[in-house]
Amino acid sequence: MKIKLAIIYGILIWGITFFFTEVMNPFFSSFFANVNIIAPAATIIATTFFGILYIRNIDSNEVIEGFTAGIIFVAIDFILDMVLFVIPHRHNMIFIDYQFHVFSMIIMTLLITTFLGYLAQMNIDLK
């Protein structure tokens, strides 16, 4: 388990999700007022990218490592959300329905990282 690397990737995932939510949300909210697609899409893309970077250097127990990395990513996201938005009561588009954001982020992150770990243990021969 590379905890330091997982923490760095977790912070990067949170930062990328926050950046794209802040930058792209005004554009999407002007056309699609009741749709918040930016945060889930950014979370999926960033988690997949950094999950692949994390899992590719693991040689054993890839599924367990993927699940553990997912838990660390979720914990980092939750801690940064609490410290930067929830406790100081700063408004952000993610927090319109914060409970939905937390549950969907947990499910997406754990599924993505565990599935990446499963795929990493497979021997695939592409010709």
Side-chain angles (χ1 to χ4, degrees):
M1 178 84 217
K2 299 176 181 179
I3 294 175
K4 185 177 178 181
L5 185 63
I7 290 172
I8 291 169
Y9 286 164
I11 292 170
L12 288 172
I13 290 169
W14 184 88
I16 289 170
T17 302
F18 172 73
F19 175 76
F20 280 111
T21 301
E22 289 295 316
V23 170
M24 298 299 289
N25 202 33
F27 172 73
F28 276 90
S29 64
S30 64
F31 292 108
F32 307 107
N34 297 325
V35 177
N36 186 11
I37 193 70
I38 299 300
T43 301
I44 290 169
I45 293 168
T47 303
T48 303
F49 178 74
F50 289 109
I52 289 170
L53 290 179
Y54 180 82
I55 292 292
R56 72 179 180 176
N57 294 325
I58 306 296
D59 294 329
S60 63
N61 297 328
E62 290 94 348
V63 176
I64 295 169
E65 289 286 336
F67 184 76
T68 308
I71 290 174
I72 292 172
F73 294 167
V74 167
I76 295 296
D77 183 76
F78 186 72
I79 290 168
L80 290 174
D81 284 348
M82 285 293 160
V83 169
L84 297 174
F85 296 113
V86 175
I87 294 173
H89 298 291
R90 282 187 52 204
H91 181 68
N92 186 324
M93 286 305 295
I94 291 174
F95 302 106
I96 291 173
D97 190 5
Y98 185 67
Q99 291 176 341
F100 179 73
H101 165 72
V102 169
F103 290 126
S104 63
M105 189 270 312
I106 289 170
I107 291 169
M108 286 187 301
T109 302
L110 290 178
L111 284 176
I112 289 169
T113 56
T114 305
F115 187 65
L116 287 173
Y118 174 73
L119 290 176
Q121 74 179 3
M122 297 175 68
N123 291 328
I124 299 173
D125 185 23
L126 300 174
K127 294 181 182 183

